[in-house]
Each structure stands twice: as structure tokens, then as C-alpha cells.
Amino acid sequence: MSTPKTPPKAVDDDNVVHGVVAEFTDVSSLLAACERVRDAGYTKADAFAPFPVHGIDKALGIKPTVLPWIALAAGGIGTCTALAMQIWMNGIDYQYIISGKPFISLPASIPVAFELTILFASFATFFGMWALNGLPRFSNPIFTSPRFDRATDDTFFLFLDAKDNRFDEAGAKSFLADLGGDFIEVVKEDDSPKSIPKFLLIGLALLISFSLIPALLVARMRVTKSTSPRIHIFPDMDFSPAKDMQQTSTLFADGRAMRPDVPGTVHRGEMIWDLDFQTGIELEKLAQTDAPRVRRLVAMVQSDVEVGGDEQAADAADAGEETSSEPAEEASSDGESDEDANPTALTPAAGPEVDTTPWLSENPLPLTDAVLRRGQTMFGVYCSTCHGMNGNGDGLVNRRAQRILATTWTPPSNLHDETLFEDAYPDGKLFSTISNGIRKMPGYRAQIGAEDRWAIVAYVRALQASQDATLEDVPEAQRATIEKEQTDVKAALEKAAAEAEAKAKESST
Amino acid sequence: MSLAVSNGLDNTVERPGQRAPLVLGNSTFHSITESVCRISENPPSKLWVFSFLVSVHLATMLGLCILYLFYTGVGVWGNRSPVFWGWPIVNFVFWVGIGHAGTLISAILYLFRQEWRTSINRTAEAMTIFAVVCAGTFPGIHVGRAWLAFWLAPYPSLNLWMWPQFRSPLLWDVFAVSTYATVSLLFWYMGMVPDLATFRDRSKNPFRRAVYGVLALGWSGSSRHWMRYEKAYALLAAFAAPLVLSVHTIVSFDFAVSQVPGWHTTIFPPYFVAGAIFSGFAMVITLMVPARKIFSIEKLITIRHLENMCKIILTTGLMVGLAYGTEFFVAWYSQVGEEAFAFVNRAMGPYWWAYWIMISCNVISPNVFWFKKARTTPWIMFVVSIFVNIGMWFERFVITCTSLSRDYLPSAWAYFSPTWVDWAMLIGSFGLFFTLFLLFCRLMPIVNMAETKATLAKEMHMAHQDDTATPI
Amino acid sequence: MSHHHAVAPKPADDPAFTMPAMLSGLSLPLCVVGLIALVGGTFLGSSAVGGRFGMSAYLTAYMYAMTIAIGAMFFVLIQHLVRAGWSVVVRRVAELIMIMVVPLAVLFIPIGWAVWTGSLYVWTDAAGYQAEHHIPADAWAEKIRWLNPQWFTLRACVYLGVYCLIGCWYYSKSQRQDQTGEVTLTESMQARGGPAIILFALCTSLLAADWVMSLAPMWFSTMFGVYIFAGSILSAHCAIALLSFVLQKQGAMRDEVTIEHYHDLGKLIHGFVCFWAYIAFSQYMLIWYANIPEETVWFFTRYPGFSEDFGPISIALMVLHFGVPFLGIMSRHVRRTPWAVAAWATYILVLHFVDLYWAIMPEATVGSGGAMGVLASVLTVLGMVCLMLGLIVIVGARTRLIPVRDPRLAESLAFENI
């Protein structure tokens, strides 16, 4: 409820005079009157009409509004907000790839930018218009006259404001009469009670307090702790009937919840016809010397695919193949092969004899940057816990085992041991070891795909090469950078040392 | 001064060089006020009470279905693999489309200075808002865990630490539809303020006077206010016009950015907009033909208003037909097997019946409007408008379901069938729409009195000028 | 309300309605120079860059004139259809542009010749194109049932026939009304507006597919017809505003076409700038988003990362064809300043050429053909514009520049914006 600004001078017995108003019955007489009012020098006159009268702003000398500029500015702000929001949210703060689109996809940002432009401009127009008009304003002295109710029906009013410099009550009255106005009245201060009706206040208060209840409840819940279990409104959504492994299901005819592979399909990276790739052995060559072993190996790879990675079963079926692929934590059955200094997987248990297996001597994967990086990742995931990040055999598991003095612990190999270098330990053999395990180390065939195992082999070779490489191994073109880095690091180290020394001195003094 | 304009009720003949009147029957400013305010001031008719009760029941049914859906999950719908977008999306697109005619009448026809919009724009805008309410319901409940639908808003969440996905057309939809609802509401309310002031000033009952007084914001009819008001109205019209195009454009993007055959076609944006205007005008006719009769406002909403709407229906119907044709032609011309299959499948596949309902309702039935007799006979246009509503619902059904049920993977093909919940929700959404609309008819000024009076004043002025100008 | 009065139209034979002498004198030189430049540009392109390049330059120039002419035809039809009053004073100017479809039908002959000799559209060498692009035989066999010289020529004749029919009919009726002032003529023009627009829409959609889209035979976009139409209707409004302004500068129809009409034309130009951007953006966005190779190929040849010549034009179109004019013509003040409207109209007409150049020329060669190629392209279109202007002046000199006895002329003269 806004009240009129600073009330003009009060007249003794009566209320404040705001102006004089007269009625007109049609548009043309109103327009003619307005033009004469304007020409007589009134600047604060106003006309009231039930509809927008074409040409009245000119007749009254009303200046155009700044509203379009406000709308334009708000629209521009809307565009910028939308673009900045989308770039920040999807492009910078929370990046993720969707259908291969760049993080900052301008074409996809246009629709929201457009919508917010319109939204901001519309808000500015709507609220700007009411603000410029000084509305809402519920108490208006001109409403005091009951005749004025017809201003929104069919009657036109011309109002001369008391604040106008040319205004004097008697003159204004006669001027309006001269213009052809009827029912000329003086508009006085509204002396009816200005307070809001009680029922409105009570109703409003009730409405607000009721609408606050849910919000308050939520707020309370968020800051308090409860020991009782939460209420499940939709139990079947909270506890969805998802099946675990090996459970039964009525959904399928065979009653199994786990689904076998579709017949005739192959896991990614498990193409069985490349058996050399799967075993790490040149099987053609091996077949000439040890045909039964080749048969076992082929059966193993095939059963592997059929059972879908059920590794233990495959190994069990692989009869006579005494490997140490039992789980490490059990490790109760290891025999003499534990002492085997030169571990060879897939060798008969007869003891340390010359390894005649025709191992693949070269990694079948192309040695690209991507393969090595993949190998690095997989090594980091599966191998480094025991062998350590740099392969020296001192991973976290080993360190803990040393600390607790585990009695049955066999320390993992140091991959930088010469017996494990490429000439002594071919790539195929390393691959086989990773696949089938050795001593306490379990086989990783089930966890790591064949391609990734080969990638690990490639990475292990890179690791080995890295440990005693010389500057000559670096390509000619990059030596300069390496040397520069070397000197930079040295300089930085020296500088840091000097600084630390200086600091130590400073703090001691 | 004589306020008589025309005594006859037929203003559909317009000789070149003269303009036929839009306000008929010796109307005066006061008689316009009377005929509009009377609707709200008199006690409701039996027909109104009956319709309202039926509508409220249907709306309640929608509410109960929504509760059932929340409790049980979206499996209560017929949405199954591969048709994951079934009726909810069809209903959403249908209702959003209905809304478009309101903004078109209030904004675009305003910009084109089509004065015949003045007496129908209020109802059409109200229809827009109620249709958008119905439309917004469906994607809201389709998100599965509807109580988390607010995750769509880009608010800084302390729990999630993540933002919505702005490269998805579904999120554009959230922005487009909510902006559209907001701006339509502002536009509708702003247009209503002077008329609410009329209601306020006529009220005898203090409670009524207080409520309308608050809603009218203290509107006095001051010329300075009118000047800014008209500017703001023009600006909002200028914003709403591209907005309305953008909304159905973005709805069409939901489909067209995908690679589903029959969805991914570049003509979708203008074709969806034309279709939306088409269906929206049909709905305006469906509402107006009975309403003008029941509320006795034939002098304000004249046959000429209806005829013009029929012409727009004919035009947009032909545009939609052209788009159907273009799609078919290009599907063949492109020589992409999947595209060609998708379109042949629409017409000849398992949903042939839906396709041909769509073609006969949307492309064939509006052609009766080539005849003036059909354009000026209310019952004919009422029947055709119902056909168009049905046809446009089926258009969305055909687009959504035929394409999804025949995806790239033939082993996943399936036939979509709705469940009783689908049916109940579609019918219930009409209940919600009519409940809101009937309330509006009772409580708000259903014709824009101020603008109609301005039109009348202009016509009186022209008539006056003609009288005086002829002798010279 | 009483401050604007009905303006009494001037008598029909007022000198303000005749073609200004200065322009009449220019008509023959314009035609001659235009024809020379048109032929010269085409030959320059053919000899300096390649036969297909020269013909593509000719096609660009031809499409430039054609889109403006049919845009003006749409203007005339739609004004009749909606019984518009405001536009009567500029309708004759639109009709003069519209009637250029008749000379343009003749100017189609070189394109028809190119189709039969295989020097413009790549599909004319059916077997070679299929082999080169490894297109499946069955798909290609279907395709060339649509894209073959006989059927293409027949369709072109139908489109041009329809345009000439509509153009001549409306032009002659309007001319007759100048003499007789029959009100029934307006009524019959209104009544035929609907069917005429349907024919127009069908022809324009197919024309865009045939004449421009088939330059890349395996590419397709259902929106393409709308895209060409959007540019067409936009440039037609610009041409009407510009031509009216030039005629007024030379002394014709000074009291008739007022600031109010420029204001309305300006609003429509602004609206159609947005419409063009809407269509262009939607088409690009959908193809970009779905990322299907057979569709993206068209934009790929115009992509900044791929084509040094056309990539920058793609960017420029976004900024110069939409951004700049959108802000430029937004202000009411600009729209109410005739010279500013005319200046913006000229600007957009230039950009309309760039738009068509961007749509057509990348299919002719990998690049713009170097300096000679650009020169040839520009020379050809300038020749076409001069020729068209010359013909418009020749036709305009035989008629009045305003439909002097149109029943709605008074309404148009008294027209005032809100």
C-alpha cells in the first residue's frame, strides 16, 4: 500500500486537493480537449480511458518510454548468461562426452541461449512497465469518486493535477467546463480507512504459514539425525528385484538368472582362431614335438570361450597341466616349483629342465604409443600392487607382507632381474605367466583380456628398458631436450637445497 | 454521436476498399462491458455446473492415475522396448501444439495488425496456458522418479556436484516449455489487468472487489499508463512471436536430432510449427463455437472471426500436407534404405490405420474450407475442428510409435499397444484442461474488453469519416 | 483520431506515376552492358577455371535473379490473399520485379543446354559419377529416374510455365485495373491467390531440389526448399524497398510511398532476416547433431577446417547475413528512415548473393577458382542484375508505378503504423 508522495498544502477544514477531473463521453471530444490542455501549457494533465486512445500521447504531449532499451539490455544479459552458464557447466566444471560432441558445442547452446534471451527480456518488459507506471498502487485519490468507476467501462476523464504550475482550482474548473467536460469534480485526499481489510490479512497470514509447513519440515529433516530406518514409500523402487550371480529366475526357460553367451558370439579380444595369440606359443611348432599338450591347450582356450571366462573350471579341465594358478591366498598346494629359481609356466612338474616350448618371441601387437599406454594402465591396475609401480617387486602387498613377517609369503619377482629379460624369457612366456600365474601369483586370464595382457607384456619390456637406458638410447632429435631438462632439474635441486639451507640458517638465528 | 455500426450479423462479405465491421449489433462501449462482465457476475448456468463436474471428475482420474504410476512405476504404461516413448510423449507434443494458436493469435496476429484477433485472443491465451499445463504434466511424470524431476534445473547441488546436460534436446525442451509457460502467463495476465480493473469497478461485493482490486494492481486507465502498457504489449508480442516458433521447433528437435529413420529429417522444425498452429486453431474453434453461443457473445466473436480461423486452418493444413509430401519424396530421393522403409512402413505397415486417419483428418478434411458455406457454418467447422484435433493427435502417434517400433535392429521390432492407464491419462488430461478452462470462463474476463472497445472506436471513427467524406 | 485524414489519390495520369526520364534513358545501356557482362563472366569462368565453373557462376547469377523475382511474386500473391491494404502503393514495384520471370524463363536456355551437354550437373554423366563415388547400382538406378536430362527439362518447363502463367495473369489484371478501376478484378485476384500460392509452393520446393540441391546428387535435406524460399522472400522485400527508394529519388511516387511503408518493409525485412537464420540454423544444427556422413558431406565441403575458400564464408554468413542486419534493422528509428532502410536492403541483397554463391559454387570446384574465379562470379551476377534492372525500367516505362485505381489505394495512402 503506497500512499501518494508528499501531500500538497492542506486546506483547513477539508482534505488535500489533488486536482480537478471532468468527464467526456466520446473519444474525439476528449482528444480535442487534451490538445487544448496541452496548448494551454499544462504538463501534468492526464486522461483516463477504458481503452488505449490512438493519438492521445501526442495530444497530451507524453514522451516515449525507455522500456524498449530496458528490454534490449535484459535480452543481452539473458544471452550472455545462458552462454556463460552452458560453457561453464558442460565445458569447464563438469565435462563429459555425449554423442561425440565437443564439451563446448555452440550449435547445441543456441536453443537455451535463445530461450533465456526471451525470458529475461520479457521479465524486464513486464516488471519494467509496472515499475515505470508506479503500479501496483492500491490507494489512489482519483478512485474516491464513485463516478470514476466508469473509467474502465465507457467514460473518459480529463484530470488537471494540482501539482501543475498553472493549476488553480477555480480556473481549472472553468477551463474544463469550457472544454466541454461534464460532472466536474475536485479530487481530494482519500479519507477512507487505508488499512488492509482484516479478513484479507488473516487469510494471507494463514496461507503463508500453511505453505511454509512443508518447507520447514524438509529443513528440519535435513539438519536432524534419526536412528529409525528411513521410510520406503516406493519399496519396489528402493529394493529392485535385481539378481545376483548363480541365482535362479523364473524369467527364462532354463531357470538361470545369469545368461550364457549367445551361441556363435565371441568376446572382444578372444578370437579363438588365433590360438598363438591366446597362448603365447607357436602351436604349429609345438605340435611336432608335443601334440597332446597342444590338444590340451586348444581345449583350454575353447572351453574358456564357451564357459565365458570361468577360469578355474577351464584350468581344472586342463588336466596334467601342472601350473601354479591357484589363488594366492590359499597357496597351500605349492610344491617344489616354489623353489624354482627360473620360473617357467606350463612346464611339466618334472623339475628345472631346459625349456623347449616354442614361445612367441615377438609381441603380436603393434608397439604403438596407445598400446604402451594401455599396458601401463593395466599394469598399474593389476600388477603394481605386488610388483610395484616400477616393477622392482616391492609393491604395497609385498611391503605389508614383509612388515607382518608373513611366513608363507613368496616375494614377487623383480622384473628387472636379468633372467626375465627378453633374451632369457621370451614375450610369449611372459604372456603365458601373466595368463596362468606362477608360484603364488594367480593367473589373470579371467580378469584381463588377451590384448591387454599383450599390452602389459609390451609395457614390462619398456619398463625393463627404462631402468638401465643411456642417453644414446634416446633418439638424436630429443637428446637436447632431455639434456636440458636434466640440467634444469639439477639446477632446481641445487637451488632448492640452497634455499632450504638458507632457511634453516635463518630459523636457527 | 451514434454508436451504431451495423445491424446485420453477417460480416463475412468484405468489398475491396471497405472493411467489414468486427463488432456487431449496435454495440456500444457499455454493452461490451455488460456482455462480458455478465458471464462472471451472473450465477453459473446448469450446463456450466454439469460440465465442470464432469471435468473435475476426469481431472481427478488423471491425478489418481499419476499416483498409481508413481507407486508402481512407468511399467503401467504401454511403453515397452523398443517403443520407450509412447503415449506420454504423444500427449505432450499434442498439448504443446494446442497451445501455439493462443500465442499466435495474441502475438503474431497483433504484429500483423489483424484486428479480428481482439475478441478471441483472451480465450486463446488462456487455452495456451492450460494446454501447456497439461503438456508439462506428461514429461514431468515420464522421468520415472518424478519427485527428482527438479534435477533437470541447473541448480548448484550440494549432493550431486554435477550439472545438467545442455547438449540434449530434452533439456532444451525444459527451458523452452518453461519459458513459454512463463511468458504466456505474463502476457495473458498483463493483457487482463485493464479488464480486471473493469471487474473491480463493477463489483458490489466487497470481497470480490478486494480480490479483483488486488489483481488489477490499481489500474486507473491513465493515458501515461496506457502508453507504456501498449509499448510493453508490443514488446512482449515481439518476444512471444519467435518464442512460439522456437518451442515447437525445439520439440521437433527432440525427434530430429536423433538418427531414427522417420525422425531425422530437416523439415521437422517448420513442419512441427505449422502443425502446432493447425491443431491450436482447431482447438480454438472447438472451444469458441459452443462458448460464443452459451455465453451469448456472438456480437463480439462473429462469424468473420471464425471464418478467418478456418482459413488459417486450411492454410496450415496444406502446409502440413506439403511437409508430408516432402518427407516422402526425399525419403525416396535420398535412396537411403532405412528412410524409405520408415515411410513406406508408416503408410503400409502395421500402423497403416493410424497413418490414414492422420492423412484423412489433417490433409483431406480441412479442404472443405475451400467452400465459403463451410467456413461460415458453425457446426461444420466444429466437426472439422474435432477431426483436425484427432488427426493431429494421430500425427504425433504415427511419428513416435511407427519409427520406434521399427528401429534399425529388426530383432527388436515390436507392436506398441496402450494400457488402460494410457487411455485414462489421455482422457484425464482433457478433464484437467476443461476444468481450468471452465474456471477461467467463470472467473476472468473471457473477451478482451479494452481492445474490443478500441476496435469499436476505430470502426466508429471510420464510419463517421465515410459519412462525412463522401460528399466532398 | 481526427488528425489523420484520408488522402485523395492523385489522378491516374499524374507524372509522379511514370518512370523517371533519367532511368528510362539508362534502360538500353543497362541491358547491353548487363548482357555483355553476363556472357563475358560466364566465358571467363569457363576458360579460366573450367567449364563447370563458368556454368555454375551463371547458375548462381540466374538463381539470384530468379529467387528475387519469385519472392516478389510471393509478395504479390500473399498481399492479395490476405486483402492487405497497406502495401498497395508498393505493389506495382513488386509486380515489375515479379514479371521478370518471363525473361528469366528465356535465360534458362543456357542451363538447359548445360544439362544436355553435361557441363553443369555432375549427375548428367550418370555412369561415370556412379563409378567414381561407388554408389550402389540399384540406388543409382532409382536416382537417375528423377535426375535425367529429359525429365529434368520437362520439370523445368513446368516450373517456368507456372511462374509465367501466375506472373502474367496477375500483371495483366493489375494493368487492366489501372485502366478500368474494376473492383471485381481485385476480387478475382484475391480468389485465385490461394490456388496460385499452392502451385507456387510446390514449384518452389521442387525447383530448389532440382536446380540447386541436385548439384550434389547424393545429398538431401527436406528443409532445402524452405531455405531457398527464406532467402528469396527476404531479398524480394529488400529489392522492393530499394527500388521504391531509387524511384522516389528520381522523382516518382514521392507522396505515395511514405515513411510508414518503409517502416513496414523494414519490419518485414527484419522478420525475414530472423526467418532465414532460423531455417539455416535448424538445417545445420540437425545435420551437425545427427552426424550422418551422407548428410554432413555438404556442410563439410563448406567447413572452416576443410575449405579455405568457403569456410570463412560460412562464418561470414552467420555474422553478416544474420547478426549484423538483425541488430541494424532492430531500431524503429532506422526503419523509419527511408535511406537507412534502402541501405540495409542493398546490404542484404549483396549478402543474398553470397548466400547463393556459398550454396552453389562449392559443388563446381574445390575452391573459389582464384582471383579469376571470383571476378567471373561477380561479373556474371552484376551482368544479370544490370540486365534485369534494364528490363524492369523498360517494362516500367510502359505502365504506371502505382496501381492507380486499386480500391484499397486510399487505405494504403492513409496508412499509419501504431
Side-chain angles (χ1 to χ4, degrees), chain A residues 62-304:
Chain A
I62 302 174
K63 290 196 183 72
T65 166
V66 296
L67 202 56
W69 293 105
I70 300 176
L72 179 66
I77 293 170
T79 320
C80 298
T81 310
L83 289 177
M85 174 176 79
Q86 295 179 75
I87 289 171
W88 162 250
M89 290 180 182
N90 282 176
I92 297 166
D93 190 43
Y94 187 65
Q95 296 183 330
Y96 56 106
I97 292 176
I98 284 291
S99 61
K101 300 282 174 280
F103 295 127
I104 299 173
S105 299
L106 199 59
S109 304
I110 300 290
V112 172
F114 173 81
E115 297 302 330
L116 287 199
T117 309
I118 296 287
L119 187 68
F120 280 41
S122 301
F123 273 136
T125 308
F126 182 82
F127 293 109
M129 186 270 286
W130 296 121
L132 290 174
N133 277 347
L135 297 177
R137 176 189 181 195
F138 296 107
S139 172
N140 190 337
I142 202 158
F143 289 161
T144 43
S145 163
R147 294 197 65 86
F148 194 75
D149 281 353
R150 299 196 65 187
T152 55
D153 178 6
D154 62 347
T155 312
F156 307 87
F157 292 83
L158 185 55
F159 174 71
L160 298 180
D161 200 308
K163 286 193 282 277
D164 206 307
N165 292 333
R166 295 188 50 87
F167 183 83
D168 81 285
E169 200 178 312
K173 273 184 179 169
S174 62
F175 183 42
L176 284 175
D178 187 35
L179 292 175
D182 303 323
F183 301 100
I184 298 159
E185 278 186 83
V186 178
V187 177
K188 291 182 178 160
E189 182 65 27
D190 184 3
D191 52 3
S192 60
K194 283 213 189 83
S195 59
I196 309 169
K198 209 159 224 157
F199 69 90
L200 267 182
L201 273 183
I202 296 171
L204 206 66
L206 281 176
L207 202 71
I208 291 173
S209 38
F210 280 132
S211 63
L212 279 178
I213 290 175
L216 288 173
L217 277 178
V218 170
R220 186 173 159 267
M221 295 300 184
R222 295 210 65 115
V223 296
T224 51
K225 287 197 169 113
S226 164
T227 49
S228 55
R230 59 172 290 207
I231 304 163
H232 294 284
I233 307 174
F234 306 103
D236 58 343
M237 290 196 86
D238 288 345
F239 308 105
S240 60
K243 291 287 183 186
D244 284 333
M245 275 192 289
Q246 311 298 352
Q247 283 185 329
T248 56
S249 164
T250 52
L251 204 60
F252 300 104
D254 61 2
R256 291 200 278 178
M258 286 171 75
R259 305 312 303 150
D261 290 341
V262 177
T265 60
V266 179
H267 281 282
R268 261 177 204 282
E270 303 282 345
M271 299 284 271
I272 52 167
W273 50 80
D274 190 357
L275 291 163
D276 292 5
F277 188 82
Q278 298 290 340
T279 55
I281 300 171
E282 285 182 63
L283 293 177
E284 289 284 342
K285 224 184 231 176
L286 184 64
Q288 290 160 14
T289 57
D290 191 355
R293 188 171 162 209
V294 170
R295 269 196 295 282
R296 286 198 304 275
L297 282 169
V298 170
M300 180 187 77
V301 170
Q302 274 173 346
S303 67
D304 225 20

Side-chain angles (χ1 to χ4, degrees), chain C residues 361-372:
Chain C
M361 295 310 283
E363 304 304 331
T365 52
V366 179
S368 62
M372 288 313 258

Side-chain angles (χ1 to χ4, degrees), chain C residues 13-283:
Chain C
D13 48 4
D14 193 278
F17 300 150
T18 54
M19 182 61 71
M22 206 284 261
L23 292 175
S24 300
L26 274 179
S27 64
L28 208 60
L30 275 173
C31 286
V32 173
V33 171
L35 208 57
I36 293 170
L38 181 63
V39 176
T42 310
F43 275 106
L44 180 65
S46 303
S47 54
V49 189
R52 178 153 290 144
F53 187 90
M55 274 323 290
S56 297
Y58 181 83
L59 180 70
T60 312
Y62 181 82
M63 282 308 291
Y64 184 70
M66 192 69 185
T67 47
I68 296 175
I70 61 178
M73 177 178 289
F74 184 79
F75 180 87
V76 172
L77 293 179
I78 199 82
Q79 301 302 330
H80 278 303
L81 190 69
V82 302
R83 307 177 189 169
W86 71 272
S87 59
V88 172
V89 291
V90 291
R91 210 188 65 223
R92 180 56 48 78
V93 172
E95 285 167 355
L96 287 174
I97 303 173
M98 164 183 86
I99 202 64
M100 288 302 114
V101 293
V102 178
L104 281 167
V106 180
L107 287 170
F108 187 76
I109 292 171
I111 297 175
W113 170 83
V115 168
W116 284 90
T117 56
S119 49
L120 178 54
Y121 295 97
V122 284
W123 47 261
T124 42
D125 173 24
Y129 188 80
Q130 186 206 349
E132 192 186 335
H133 291 84
H134 313 288
I135 302 163
D138 51 343
W140 186 248
E142 283 287 302
K143 195 80 158 192
I144 56 174
R145 279 170 61 190
W146 184 262
L147 296 178
N148 60 64
Q150 295 84 359
W151 184 208
F152 180 92
T153 314
L154 187 64
R155 287 197 307 271
C157 292
V158 171
Y159 310 148
L160 293 169
V162 166
Y163 288 140
C164 288
L165 190 73
I166 296 175
C168 292
W169 193 83
Y170 272 87
Y171 190 77
S172 66
K173 287 290 172 284
S174 185
Q175 291 292 311
R176 206 168 99 199
Q177 200 174 43
D178 272 7
Q179 310 299 328
T180 63
E182 287 169 84
V183 175
T184 47
L185 285 172
T186 300
E187 284 174 340
S188 74
M189 283 194 277
Q190 274 169 199
R192 280 164 184 69
I197 278 195
I198 292 177
L199 280 177
F200 175 89
L202 286 172
C203 287
T204 309
S205 310
L206 287 172
L207 172 150
D210 268 4
W211 296 358
V212 184
M213 200 164 89
S214 83
L215 286 165
M218 294 314 286
W219 184 73
F220 57 93
S221 166
T222 39
M223 182 86 108
F224 199 75
V226 188
Y227 180 73
I228 292 292
F229 170 73
S232 156
I233 187 75
L234 168 63
S235 51
H237 279 85
C238 294
I240 293 166
L242 180 61
L243 204 53
S244 305
F245 184 76
V246 171
L247 287 171
Q248 281 196 308
K249 275 279 148 202
Q250 296 303 323
M253 54 190 202
R254 279 208 169 138
D255 300 328
E256 282 72 24
V257 182
T258 65
I259 286 176
E260 304 296 338
H261 301 104
Y262 283 105
H263 187 184
D264 255 20
L265 284 169
K267 283 192 269 189
L268 286 167
I269 290 172
H270 190 247
F272 283 117
V273 164
C274 299
F275 181 66
W276 177 90
Y278 163 63
I279 297 296
F281 169 73
S282 300
Q283 176 170 271

Side-chain angles (χ1 to χ4, degrees), chain B residues 12-19 110-115 165 167-169 172 230-231 242 245-246 248-249 252-253 255-259 264-271 273 304 307-308 311 315 318 322-323 326-336 338-339 367 370 372 375 408 454 457-458 461 465 469, chain C residues 1-2 4-6 81-86 138-140 142-143 145-147 183-184 186-187 190-191 194-195 198 201-202 205-206 209-210 213-214 216-224 226 264 267-268 275 278-279 281-292 294-295 332 407-408 411 415-418:
Chain B
T12 59
V13 181
E14 187 175 76
R15 299 284 296 165
Q18 293 165 331
R19 293 293 176 189
Y110 174 84
L111 296 178
F112 280 122
R113 292 190 297 268
Q114 297 297 305
E115 275 151 11
Q165 209 295 84
R167 284 156 290 172
S168 160
W172 308 343
E230 281 204 286
K231 193 51 140 184
L245 298 192
S246 83
H248 230 60
T249 295
S252 82
F253 285 168
F255 297 91
V257 298
S258 72
Q259 296 174 345
H264 176 66
T265 162
T266 48
I267 194 117
F268 257 32
Y271 149 50
V273 171
R304 177 150 166 238
E307 190 195 1
N308 283 349
K311 287 178 182 169
T315 313
L318 291 169
L322 180 66
T326 312
E327 278 183 339
F328 250 89
F329 169 68
V330 174
W332 171 77
Y333 174 86
S334 72
Q335 284 301 311
V336 175
E338 291 85 1
E339 285 290 327
N367 280 292
W370 284 108
K372 180 152 186 142
R375 293 199 303 262
Y408 285 105
K458 194 173 170 191
H461 176 70
Q465 220 174 35
Chain C
M1 274 227 160
S2 50
H4 63 91
H5 303 281
L81 190 69
V82 302
R83 307 177 189 169
W86 71 272
D138 51 343
W140 186 248
E142 283 287 302
K143 195 80 158 192
R145 279 170 61 190
W146 184 262
L147 296 178
V183 175
T184 47
T186 300
E187 284 174 340
Q190 274 169 199
I198 292 177
L202 286 172
S205 310
L206 287 172
D210 268 4
M213 200 164 89
S214 83
M218 294 314 286
W219 184 73
F220 57 93
S221 166
T222 39
M223 182 86 108
F224 199 75
V226 188
D264 255 20
K267 283 192 269 189
L268 286 167
F275 181 66
Y278 163 63
I279 297 296
F281 169 73
S282 300
Q283 176 170 271
Y284 172 72
M285 209 281 286
L286 290 177
I287 290 176
W288 168 82
Y289 202 110
N291 210 5
I292 298 175
E294 57 259 37
E295 290 184 349
R332 177 185 164 92
R408 296 202 178 99
E411 187 185 337
F415 164 67
E416 244 183 272
N417 274 287
I418 309 162

Side-chain angles (χ1 to χ4, degrees), chain A residues 375-429:
Chain A
Q376 186 180 28
T377 309
M378 300 316 278
F379 186 88
V381 171
Y382 290 103
C383 315
S384 67
T385 45
C386 291
H387 289 282
M389 288 304 277
N390 59 0
N392 60 7
D394 196 22
L396 291 172
V397 175
N398 185 49
R399 272 185 245 169
R400 181 162 185 280
Q402 304 291 350
R403 200 165 64 240
I404 62 172
L405 302 170
T407 47
T408 58
W409 180 248
T410 313
S413 307
N414 177 359
L415 300 180
H416 303 299
D417 192 296
E418 275 182 20
T419 54
L420 295 181
F421 281 4
E422 201 167 358
D423 41 356
Y425 207 96
D427 276 2
K429 193 167 174 182

